[in-house]
Amino acid sequence: MNDQTYLKFAEILKSESPLPITEDQSRLFYDFMNAMKEMNQRVNLTRILDEKDFIEKHLLDAITCPLKSSENQILDLGSGGGIPGVPLAIYYPDKHFTLLDSTAKKMKAVKEITETIGLKNVTCVAGRAEELGKRPEYRETFDAVCARAVAAFNILDELCAPFLKTGGTFYAWKGQQAEEEIAAAKSGPKKLGLGEAHITQNLMLKSAAFHVIIQCDKIASTPSKYPRNYGRIVKKPLA
Ligand code: SAH
């Protein structure tokens, strides 16, 4: 490892992060960034390659999710290149993260990345959320479901809710349109067993391109008729 290059990375990470970061975490974040950039030459995982942007828009944007200490089994739905799942797994080595994406090529690449950097608390699964959410081994088995940049909130709620245990939390990364998306979902979350959606965190990141996180508690079991097939979900979102 070129130490000068690492030290520059570590300095930016530390100065930009609103959360404390240990030396071990900092090194792993650095390894992840490099492994992802390397893999990106073969498989398109991200357009964010500038180091400062990578730190702000991928690493810090992911780890500022307000996961609870009781949430140990976490699903990253529509993980793509492994965001937010991989940075969260680095930040929380004692929690387990399942990364799910419908693009098998991306999940294979992310699995290889996590093996390269020696990250053990991650499982990569290729498949469609609306199919896996029906399977007993995944249904209502997670303490938290995270999703960034996957779908509008009124579609995402139906994809995510079936995976959550009652008492679990759904975290959706959103931009400035979060309020409108919540309004558009109407009583969709309620039909799925989710409590009222609220914007819980306005990230204190210096980057202007910050996200907010919509948070919903799962308060009742999801009726077995959900999720419907993807065509139905998109054509006629719950309301
Ligand atoms: N969360 C990542 C990737 C966002 S791109 C990030 O923020 O960088 C959205 C990803 O969601 C794509 O990789 C796409 O394959 C996946 N996706 C979309 N719909 C899905 C579904 N129904 N089931 C599983 N994955 C899905």
Side-chain angles (χ1 to χ4, degrees):
M1 182 190 291
N2 180 339
D3 230 35
Q4 273 317 101
T5 321
Y6 168 68
L7 290 175
K8 183 173 150 259
F9 168 90
E11 200 179 301
I12 300 174
L13 180 66
K14 215 173 245 169
S15 69
E16 297 295 319
S17 179
L19 301 169
I21 293 174
T22 67
E23 181 61 20
D24 284 354
Q25 289 165 340
S26 176
R27 295 249 170 210
L28 262 176
F29 282 137
Y30 182 70
D31 292 347
F32 170 56
M33 179 185 73
N34 288 329
M36 188 161 170
K37 280 188 187 172
E38 170 100 24
M39 182 61 79
N40 211 45
Q41 294 171 6
R42 284 190 277 143
V43 183
N44 186 19
L45 298 175
T46 184
R47 279 176 292 137
I48 298 172
L49 297 170
D50 172 76
E51 185 165 276
K52 193 157 182 277
D53 276 356
F54 194 96
I55 289 172
E56 287 181 353
K57 296 178 182 159
H58 280 338
L59 303 179
L60 299 179
D61 190 47
I63 65 168
T64 40
C65 179
L67 285 178
K68 302 182 183 84
S69 57
S70 58
E71 293 167 349
N72 289 311
Q73 288 293 335
I74 296 140
L75 177 70
D76 176 13
L77 191 152
S79 184
I83 315 281
V86 174
L88 281 169
I90 291 172
Y91 199 69
Y92 293 106
D94 296 331
K95 298 183 188 296
H96 187 270
F97 292 81
T98 301
L99 276 43
L100 167 66
D101 202 282
S102 53
T103 307
K105 197 168 67 174
K106 288 188 190 175
M107 280 295 89
K108 188 166 172 266
V110 175
K111 182 167 186 278
E112 212 176 302
I113 289 171
T114 58
E115 284 166 1
T116 302
I117 67 172
L119 195 64
K120 305 267 184 263
N121 55 331
V122 165
T123 305
C124 294
V125 180
R128 295 209 57 94
E130 64 279 10
E131 287 163 15
L132 267 59
K134 289 198 185 72
R135 293 209 210 141
E137 69 265 40
Y138 293 109
R139 194 174 180 92
E140 306 205 316
T141 56
F142 292 92
D143 303 313
V145 176
C146 296
R148 188 182 86 161
V150 178
F153 186 69
N154 63 348
I155 291 168
L156 201 56
D157 56 358
E158 189 167 347
L159 295 176
C160 291
F163 290 99
L164 278 171
K165 287 180 193 165
T166 299
T169 319
F170 167 35
Y171 300 95
W173 274 242
K174 286 290 167 190
Q176 304 297 333
Q177 77 294 9
E179 306 248 15
E180 287 91 321
E181 290 199 29
I182 291 173
K186 296 186 181 155
S187 54
K190 190 164 178 228
K191 288 177 180 163
L192 295 159
L194 294 170
E196 206 180 317
H198 45 265
I199 295 169
T200 50
Q201 201 189 20
N202 196 333
L203 302 183
M204 289 166 293
L205 299 179
K206 291 175 193 161
S207 154
F210 67 92
H211 281 116
V212 297
I213 293 181
I214 299 176
Q215 188 174 327
C216 274
D217 294 329
K218 175 110 174 216
I219 54 175
S221 188
T222 301
S224 59
K225 62 182 169 190
Y226 305 122
R228 299 164 295 161
N229 71 48
Y230 195 68
R232 288 294 288 169
I233 296 174
V234 172
K235 205 167 160 206
K236 213 173 177 312
L238 291 176

